[in-house]
Amino acid sequence: MESRIVETACPLDCPDACSLEVQVVDGRVAGIEGSHRNPLTAGFLCHKVRHFAEHVYGPERLLYPARRSGRKGEGRFERLSWDAALDLAAEKLRAVPTGEAILPLSYGGSNGFLTQDTTDARLFRRLGASNLARTVCAAPSAAAALGLYGKMPGVAFADYLHSRLIVVWGHNPSVSGIHLVPLLQEAQRRGARLVVIDPRRIQLAKRADLYLGLRPGSDLALALAVVRWLFENGAADWEFLGAHAEGAEELRRRAAPWTPERAAEVTGLAAAEIEGFARLYAESSPAVIRCGWGLERNRNGGSATAAILALPAVAGKFGVRGGGYTLSNSGAWALDGDAAAAAPVPPTRTINMNRVGQALLAAEPPVDLLFVYNCNPLATLPNQERVRRGLARQDLFTVVFDQVWTDTARYADLVLPATTFLEHDELSRGYGAMLLQRGPAAVPPVGEARPNAEVFADLCRRLGLEQSGDPVATEEMTAALVRSNPRIGAELAAQGSALPDSGAAPLAFVDSFPRTRDRKVHLVPEALDRETPHGLYTFQEDPATPRFPLALVSPASNRTISSTLGELRRGPVALELHPDDAVRRGIADGDRVRVWNELGEVLCLARQSADLTPGVAMLPKGLWSHNTFSGTTANALAPDTLADLGGGACFNDARVEVERIS
Ligand SMILES: Nc1nc2c(c(=O)[nH]1)N[C@H]1C(S)=C(S)[C@@H](COP(=O)(O)OP(=O)(O)OC[C@H]3O[C@@H](n4cnc5c(=O)[nH]c(N)nc54)[C@H](O)[C@@H]3O)O[C@H]1N2
Ligand SMILES: Nc1nc2c(c(=O)[nH]1)N[C@H]1C(S)=C(S)[C@@H](COP(=O)(O)OP(=O)(O)OC[C@H]3O[C@@H](n4cnc5c(=O)[nH]c(N)nc54)[C@H](O)[C@@H]3O)O[C@H]1N2
Ligand SMILES: [Mo]
């Protein structure tokens, strides 16, 4: 028996970027533990990744290439050799009338720098395929952060121990980034106060000093009311604003109508609660806002994030350890993806991934070939029925390259088996922790699975699109990525990890500044003002109607990462409803219910939860068809309308009605 420990890193879509120790016995994963290489990991892991071997060796694992032999969606396939499968893919890619008829579909939140935007980008760019706007997550918040601060890195989690006030806003780290939780507990033990702003009384809210249970999509009103209060009550830091900000007067003007009373009407909070929060924020220092992603997934998401990020500037919270905000720190890594792709972006059309259903059904020229990888669109994109109809199109050729038999794979014409991060080399970083890590393969590929980089490079070769000097191997791609920053390359080579240029814990406005042209905060950036449909900071009303009054949110759960690992979550899942909303409809715990709106319906179980704000219902994101009686999920009820910035998704703008069916 041969046993060894491989040091690697988790690339899954999460702020934390855990460092791992994988125990390998006779070439198989025997155990996965957290290590201390990433200090944030602190030796512990989430349940999901500790049990990741069940995904690697599970019965749903894709083991070899296969070609559809039944109807689309039926799930009947016959095995092919890799050679035949890649020949078929190449033949279909070659046969399209124009490059734009090809749509590569990937999001890649759970992929590091080596398994996305390298040889795949090279293939699709050289083919002149349609470009994809990757908007399913973080697009509105990234646009806001870029406009205001140029994606400046935020407060490091370790610095939260210095904070006197921590505001967790639209973020649920107890499931979606668990290593922040012990730091919050320790900060509270040291006297910090905790505020939680969420339509659900999440676990953290239960030990918060203040919990604001607002209506989904109303954060913009709350944030502008706080901005107004700061200006009206002598709590704006004019000295900071004068030295470091543009647009303070204009922001003040736009916030002026947002009295606490008006914000109370929109948010469902009491005016006194809003004022109390504003005063607490004004009076506490250091104060940090942990801004999450739950609040961006609606029509106001971009403006809401911008207004929240404006708060520390208006109130002068920067410049001290533990003061400022944290959103995503992914901007801390300016690696040269284009060098790794070694191909310029073609001037072809761009398709917004939130509108993939629409594109498959109606784009001109039509999409003839869909290539899905690093993504499970049937489970994760809005307007699920439209996506399903698009995937069911008889004249569409769909390749699905994945690790497991996803709901999407069942609609494929050709299925290709992919390795997991334990079977291929990766280079990964989270978007909270500020550490880039090498993630070497721990075990050989399962079945005939192959890494993305190899498969797309092979397709380049078959299509005659390869060029001499194209980086293909791990070392070549890594070298290309870090070419513009040799320090990072040297640190990776020497110790397997590297800090960003801004260091592990940058202090904003002391040792790091906004990455805007003038290094100032732009509180009302012109570009954002132009992009938003009604101007930045304009509130768009709640989409609820008398027919569909309930707001359905679908946040992260502790069982999956988006839809990844969803094959392991068996059994029916329950819609959560506030007891008042349930009783009014005669719904008891364990009843079967129909949840519906004009886009679709979901048949599932129901459960009452007093932790929800009345008028709000919850079904977790990432469910698979096997989790409901109808085979549809929250995404069947989520509109494919777009947020006010970044073309972002509006999952939480779903408005529904519910009835008992048994
Ligand atoms: N276990 C696990 N971890 C994950 C993921 C996962 O699926 N599972 N997903 C990963 C990914 S892809 C991402 S993007 C991150 C996301 O991580 P988070 O930032 O935690 O985002 P969400 O889970 O979408 O929502 C967070 C909270 O926002 C609340 N919320 C919903 N609508 C609103 C609103 O309008 N306003 C406010 N204030 N709150 C609202 C929800 O009730 C939820 O508690 O987590 C990552 N980590
Ligand atoms: N209702 C609702 N839906 C949501 C959200 C929500 O809040 N509500 N949130 C959204 C968010 S935040 C996100 S980030 C998206 C994510 O949505 P997706 O981008 O679809 O992400 P996953 O569901 O994690 O699916 C990733 C797939 O890629 C495969 N994969 C992983 N690594 C590799 C690899 O190296 N090679 C190949 N070929 N395949 C690989 C995995 O097996 C998995 O099936 O979902 C969104 N969907
Ligand atoms: Mo995400």
Side-chain angles (χ1 to χ4, degrees), residues 13 26 64 68 86 132 141 166 182 259 290 321 339 368 389-390 568 587 589 631 636:
D13 196 327
D26 291 336
Y64 41 78
R68 176 167 67 87
L86 290 174
L132 180 76
S141 56
I166 301 172
T259 60
R290 172 48 165 149
R321 225 163 252 297
D368 297 332
R389 286 209 314 279
L568 304 174
I587 296 169
D589 274 3

Side-chain angles (χ1 to χ4, degrees), residues 38-57:
N38 176 357
L40 182 64
T41 312
F44 71 95
L45 282 184
C46 69
H47 178 87
K48 301 178 296 301
V49 173
R50 271 168 59 91
H51 294 269
F52 197 76
E54 293 169 28
H55 174 74
V56 175
Y57 303 116

Side-chain angles (χ1 to χ4, degrees), residues 180-190 207:
L180 183 58
V181 175
L183 289 167
L184 295 177
Q185 283 167 339
E186 177 59 17
Q188 279 191 294
R189 208 186 55 75
R190 295 184 187 184
R207 49 170 189 264

Side-chain angles (χ1 to χ4, degrees), residues 306-394:
I308 292 166
L309 298 189
L311 291 173
V314 174
K317 298 300 182 190
F318 290 112
V320 289
R321 225 163 252 297
Y325 70 85
T326 316
L327 176 63
S328 169
N329 288 328
S330 63
W333 300 103
L335 298 189
D336 193 353
D338 282 342
V345 180
T348 39
R349 69 177 168 194
T350 297
I351 290 177
N352 183 326
M353 75 184 296
N354 290 316
R355 291 271 171 80
V356 159
Q358 182 69 19
L360 292 178
L361 293 171
E364 271 309 323
V367 175
D368 297 332
L369 194 150
L370 178 70
F371 203 124
V372 180
Y373 63 106
N374 303 347
C375 190
N376 183 8
L378 196 49
T380 56
L381 297 188
N383 204 338
Q384 190 169 62
E385 281 316 299
R386 199 174 270 172
V387 175
R388 190 189 306 278
R389 286 209 314 279
L391 289 172
R393 237 181 66 200
Q394 286 308 318

Side-chain angles (χ1 to χ4, degrees), residues 13 137 297 621:
D13 196 327
C137 172
R297 312 194 197 289
K621 80 161 162 172

